[in-house]
Amino acid sequence: AQSVTQLDSQVPVFEEAPVELRCNYSSSVSVYLFWYVQYPNQGLQLLLKYLSGSTLVKGINGFEAEFNKSQTSFHLRKPSVHISDTAEYFCAVSGAGGSQGNLIFGKGTKLSVKP
Amino acid sequence: DTGVSQDPRHKITKRGQNVTFRCDPISEHNRLYWYRQTLGQGPEFLTYFQNEAQLEKSRLLSDRFSAERPKGSFSTLEIQRTEQGDSAMYLCASREQGRGNTIYFGEGSWLTVV
């Protein structure tokens, strides 16, 4: 079984500042890792995913994440945020060995970008 | 490609009534998922289909919940005898078969039980 911990429930940041949203996971098997974004009253949109290969993954909207197997982390970063990045961000994991593709989500981090 | 479509987007119902949600996945996707999301929480897996076969159900899916995908295309999620604790957003998602393929989510169906 897998689990995901998002260490910060809310992250306030000023526009054009860098941001890091932290995610740690627990699993007894190899995993795939994902970050999704959810704007108010909408579904989830995939930002990026790690399946294998390079541990630094680049996604949409200027976001990137780094897979660290020894620390079981997959932190999301953006060097300069915009007001439009205000949303809730979810880290998710699925087992790489299975084929179901079910995602286990963290509780989310609300990113609030202030002018 | 119109994405994953869900209907209705919002539903208010009285406790004890039955409700049904519909999901139309992306056309070439044979995997379809249902998740539930309550306020302040991440989505929680309920069940998934491969074509018309329901292959896994979460313990969250009580006997009052039933999901179908009769022709391997659209799916329905019915909740019988709704309770206030059922108030949540119900998310449908789909993907193509294959490890690591992206799961695409619909915009969700909000249920409020009063």
Side-chain angles (χ1 to χ4, degrees), chain A residues 32 34 36 38 41-46 49 51 88 90 94-108 110, chain B residues 9-10 31 33 35 37 40-45 48 56 89 91 95 97-108 110:
Chain A
Y32 297 147
F34 306 80
Y36 281 83
Q38 186 175 37
N41 299 318
Q42 294 189 21
L44 287 83
Q45 179 183 7
L46 181 70
K49 63 182 179 182
L51 304 182
E88 190 156 20
F90 291 95
S94 70
S99 61
Q100 301 94 325
N102 303 353
L103 293 172
I104 307 299
F105 286 88
K107 291 188 175 183
K110 290 185 178 177
Chain B
R9 293 291 316 280
H10 302 274
R31 295 277 174 93
Y33 303 82
Y35 284 79
Q37 185 179 18
Q41 301 294 320
E44 297 171 293
F45 169 74
Y48 94 99
E56 187 173 345
M89 182 160 69
L91 289 159
R95 75 177 185 102
Q97 189 169 349
R99 293 182 183 181
N101 283 341
T102 299
I103 294 181
Y104 293 90
F105 284 83
E107 295 197 337
W110 276 104

Side-chain angles (χ1 to χ4, degrees), chain A residues 26-64:
Chain A
S26 173
S27 178
S28 57
V29 299
S30 297
V31 295
Y32 297 147
L33 293 155
F34 306 80
W35 275 99
Y36 281 83
V37 61
Q38 186 175 37
Y39 298 100
N41 299 318
Q42 294 189 21
L44 287 83
Q45 179 183 7
L46 181 70
L47 280 177
L48 49 79
K49 63 182 179 182
Y50 171 79
L51 304 182
S52 64
S54 173
T55 57
L56 183 62
V57 180
K58 294 189 183 297
I60 62 170
N61 300 342
F63 285 93
E64 64 181 31

Side-chain angles (χ1 to χ4, degrees), chain B residues 3 16 32 49 51 56 67 90 97:
Chain B
L32 185 148
F49 293 83
N51 300 312
E56 187 173 345
Y90 291 85
Q97 189 169 349

Side-chain angles (χ1 to χ4, degrees), chain A residues 70-92:
Chain A
S70 63
Q71 297 187 3
T72 60
S73 68
F74 191 55
H75 300 333
L76 181 70
R77 301 184 183 101
K78 185 169 183 178
S80 176
V81 295
H82 301 291
I83 297 287
S84 59
D85 293 323
T86 295
E88 190 156 20
Y89 293 78
F90 291 95
C91 182

